[in-house]
């Protein structure tokens, strides 16, 4: 694949934005890939003007290491794509779980409990599983959680879900919810 970052000028924020789009990854994944904080990302990609009157995203990236990393990833796009996992969707996890029979340890597998077991309210699972949804609508922390839980289920089957479900129920009880399966959502954390 041909590089998109021009070789006749320094790397600028707009190049970073275009590279992220080329990779088809989220802003949080691109920040991770380049080792950027949210503040640094905002500084590079902002449409505000800098002290010389230039839009920040058209200005050269201040950190040469970030610019070099962006050029390397642009020139080796396949390497970049391998570094960021394809995050499973809530529907993919839901479909995997539906392959297993319900049992007291597995619990009921439905939309409500999917949302609750992933740390959200009872209605979130329904939104995630809408048929016309173009994306999963999940934040980065849920993407990571889905990745690890789905990977564990792929490796160990239903036992991994049983272990994870116990973990979720335990955390809920520590927060004051004795029965996560019946809860409308997660209670606020209680201070110790």
């Amino acid at each position: 694949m041909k590089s998109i970052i021009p070789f006749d000028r320094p790397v600028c924020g707009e190049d970073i934005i275009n590279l992220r789009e080329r990779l088809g990854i989220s802003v949080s994944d691109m920040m991770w890939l380049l080792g950027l904080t949210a503040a640094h990302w905002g500084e590079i990609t902002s449409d505000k003007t800098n002290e010389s009157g230039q839009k920040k995203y058209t200005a050269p990236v201040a950190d040469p290491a970030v610019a070099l990393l962006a050029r390397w990833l642009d020139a080796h796009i396949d390497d970049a794509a391998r570094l960021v996992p394809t995050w499973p969707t809530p529907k993919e996890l839901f479909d995997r779980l539906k392959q297993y029979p319900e049992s007291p340890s597995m619990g009921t597998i439905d939309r409500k409990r999917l949302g609750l077991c992933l740390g959200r309210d009872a209605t979130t699972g329904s939104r995630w599983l809408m048929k016309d949804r173009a994306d999963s609508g999940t934040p980065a922390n849920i993407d990571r959680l889905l990745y690890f839980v789905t990977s564990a289920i792929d490796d160990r089957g239903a036992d991994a879900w049983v272990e994870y479900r116990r973990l979720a129920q335990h955390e809920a009880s520590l927060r004051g919810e004795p029965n996560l399966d019946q809860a409308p959502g997660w209670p606020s954390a209680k201070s110790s």
Side-chain angles (χ1 to χ4, degrees), residues 169-177 189-190:
Q169 290 171 328
H170 180 71
E171 182 65 23
S173 72
L174 294 172
R175 292 170 179 259
E177 178 51 65
K190 297 191 180 200

Side-chain angles (χ1 to χ4, degrees), residues 38-60:
H40 197 180
W41 174 264
E43 187 66 27
I44 290 171
T45 61
S46 173
D47 64 354
K48 295 179 181 171
T49 56
N50 62 18
E51 54 281 348
S52 62
Q54 185 179 25
K55 294 275 188 192
K56 288 185 178 181
Y57 67 84
T58 63

